[in-house]
Amino acid sequence: MSYPEPRYLGERGQVSALFRPAPPQPDTGSGGTNISYVAQQENTNGEFGLYKIDMEPTAMGATEHFHRTISESFYVLSGELRLYNGERWVTGGEGDFLYVPPGGLHAFQNDSDDQVSFLLLFTPGASREEYFEKLEEYSQRSREELKAFRIRHDQYNTDMLDD
């Protein structure tokens, strides 16, 4: 295995690290799901977006969908998360990981009677914040507006593909 081509060409390194203290409250959330923006794409030069998700018991996550431009990875911190890997549902527990490449069908939800916490990683970084913040609002609008909103955010839900 080889490393990618160098992206930093200096000789001595530079001061460029970003430290973000844990926020006292989640950045957004609704429907039993709270989302904390750990590393937004503007803080990672577009390399990735990292989010911490806390879902209350029996909280619905996302139905079957795929992305055209980004991969999505799940890492379970605590509790149990139901994950659809494109073929079947699996239960992920603490330390379990699921990687979904661009185009990969997936879904997730909390079927348990306990809270679940997990990290959600998008690569390359994408501005998912607006999607998280406005999804509930657009879900109350017409089906056409919801579909357009999702497509604008690279979210292709399979239940809307034939519309």
Side-chain angles (χ1 to χ4, degrees), residues 37-92:
Y37 303 158
V38 178
Q40 296 168 275
Q41 60 103 24
E42 67 254 19
N43 303 123
T44 66
N45 295 321
E47 293 184 31
F48 66 91
L50 181 64
Y51 305 90
K52 181 177 181 278
I53 314 293
D54 296 307
M55 294 177 75
E56 294 298 319
T58 67
M60 184 63 193
T63 60
E64 185 182 66
H65 66 282
F66 65 92
H67 308 286
R68 295 182 188 276
T69 64
I70 55 178
S71 69
E72 188 170 359
S73 297
F74 299 80
Y75 181 80
V76 181
L77 298 169
S78 64
E80 291 185 344
L81 181 64
R82 293 288 291 164
L83 296 159
Y84 181 67
N85 67 8
E87 292 182 315
R88 62 187 174 92
W89 285 93
V90 296
T91 300

Side-chain angles (χ1 to χ4, degrees), residues 7 15 26 30 55 99-100 115 131 137 142 150 156:
R7 296 185 294 164
V15 176
S30 64
M55 294 177 75
Y99 167 71
V100 184
Q115 180 173 312
Y131 183 80
E137 171 191 335
S142 72
R150 285 178 168 160
Y156 296 86

Side-chain angles (χ1 to χ4, degrees), residues 114-135:
D114 298 310
Q115 180 173 312
V116 63
S117 294
F118 60 99
L119 294 176
L120 192 57
L121 174 72
F122 294 99
T123 59
S127 295
R128 296 300 284 174
E129 297 82 16
E130 182 185 43
Y131 183 80
F132 295 141
E133 292 167 5
K134 295 187 177 180
L135 178 59

